[in-house]
Amino acid sequence: SLRESTYFLAKTAHILFFWDSSYAGLALRQSCALPDGLHERVQSALITLQRRGCLLRDLVRIRDRDVFTAVSRALVGKPGYTYRYLDTRLFTIPWHCEGEERQKDEKDKPCCDSDLRDGCSHSSPPSSFNVTLINYMDPTAMTQLKEEPYYGMGKMAVGWHHDENLVPLSPVAVYSYSCPKEEGEGSEKEEVQKEKACWRVGLKVAWDIHTPGLALPLQSGDCYYMTDDLNRTHQHCVLAGDTARFSSTHRVVQCCTGTLDYIQKRCSEALENLHTDPEKTTKSLKSLLPNTLQHIEDIHNEVFEWLRQYWFQGRRYARFCSWWTKPMEQMEKDWKEMERMTQLLLDVVEDENTVQENRREMADILLNALTDRQQHRQTWRDRCQSSLAQSLPPEEAPFDRPYWSNEDPDMPLPFDLSEIINLSPCFLGWIQGDIWTGRFISYFHQYRLLSL
């Protein structure tokens, strides 16, 4: 057909010139060219992760709507790394180098048992990569797979996309393992039908349907690479075969804002502005400079997002690996201190002895921060209570945390900030000294009395 003639199956020599001219940066390494013993180790690791239940469907956000991914996956990588896509943050199951010593503190247990540890070590790629996204796709369990819309390539397990949040010009290496058919399956087919029966990766020039696309058939054990600028200038999709398939996608993700080390440093930056009187055990803010306050409130919201992402999906892996448990517990303690810092700032704003001009600047910072915070809190609550989230088994379902009742004596401010925000006219009223100031102060006195 006309549509099928607009793409090429990458299997014959006559398309090599086209490949080099339109798809430079794509390379294929066939299974027979990979080192001896590699296939057995990697395939055993992939099966171990699946057998242990580590490969799970993600509940992602697309156009303000939650949807399940068609594939099941897990992120394995350097300890403390995360990968963000489609408003979803994945937390690594840490890979372990072969021969690596276990934790030396006898009181601490290894974060993974030996079986899972071995599986993670065998999925570890060369040191140039920092994570690998492991996917499992079974076409028999995938209902309503969409047809590739531009070239008639067939059913898509994963639609056209770029890989997100990668270091520019970094390579992507993908190992493909197709599970063997059961004996007696299959029949004689035409050549094109045989190619369509195997898994393929489709490529096209980004936002261009006139340049012919390319479909690269993948035999079990093949490895393909996207190098140079290919991931930015082109899009790729995954075309479903007729057997289950694993893929291990090795990447170099942006780590400037996506590691535990980064967010811990951000917490430390914010908490540096909190002073505790050793005698009175009272707390106060060291600096009231607008830039400092804005910086702290931004960190506050960022840390809340990390916590919510972890409890929405990241904590699912705690039953397999405990590596993230203690760091996230500490992060939640730091976040509670930031809640206290916001409450201290409100104290300063309502203090009539505060310079009027400074009160307005601080009030503007607070109103913007609290409005943004309220919106995100409600969004996460809605996501946790959605019908899709509730359909998951308990060990995989999102956990609505952090969340607390307005009467919780351990929390300095209510979870629902709407009453505070609805009193926002007082932020302007403070300038003229009108009655809104009295209403605002009265509200906070009442709330604190209830919290005692």
Side-chain angles (χ1 to χ4, degrees), residues 134-154:
I134 295 174
N135 302 302
Y136 175 74
M137 297 157 272
D138 183 355
T140 63
M142 294 178 175
T143 59
Q144 300 178 337
L145 289 181
K146 293 183 179 179
E147 289 283 342
E148 191 285 311
Y150 306 121
Y151 308 106
M153 290 179 173

Side-chain angles (χ1 to χ4, degrees), residues 358-425:
N358 293 349
R359 290 175 84 185
R360 175 167 187 171
E361 282 190 274
M362 289 185 283
D364 286 341
I365 291 169
L366 267 176
L367 178 59
N368 291 332
L370 295 179
T371 301
D372 186 52
R373 196 167 300 162
Q374 174 70 4
Q375 180 182 348
H376 283 91
R377 288 181 180 183
Q378 190 58 52
T379 297
W380 280 111
R381 288 225 77 197
D382 292 344
R383 293 188 70 183
C384 287
Q385 296 170 2
S386 70
S387 58
L388 287 180
Q390 297 297 316
S391 71
L392 290 166
E395 65 273 12
E396 296 179 27
F399 199 78
D400 192 8
R401 179 173 172 176
Y403 175 74
W404 62 99
S405 67
N406 289 353
E407 292 76 28
D408 189 334
D410 293 329
M411 297 302 295
L413 292 174
F415 180 88
D416 185 353
L417 300 168
S418 57
E419 288 193 50
I420 302 175
I421 294 168
N422 289 339
L423 286 171
S424 59

Side-chain angles (χ1 to χ4, degrees), residues 19 26-35 38-39 129 172-177 201 216-226 245 248-250:
W19 185 327
L26 174 67
L28 173 67
R29 194 174 185 187
Q30 294 180 316
S31 60
C32 59
L34 293 172
L38 176 72
H39 299 294
F129 299 100
V172 176
V174 182
Y175 180 88
S176 181
Y177 167 49
V201 59
L216 178 64
L218 298 170
Q219 303 302 321
S220 186
D222 283 352
C223 187
Y224 68 90
Y225 305 84
M226 294 186 291
R245 175 207 182 223
S248 183
T249 308
H250 304 150

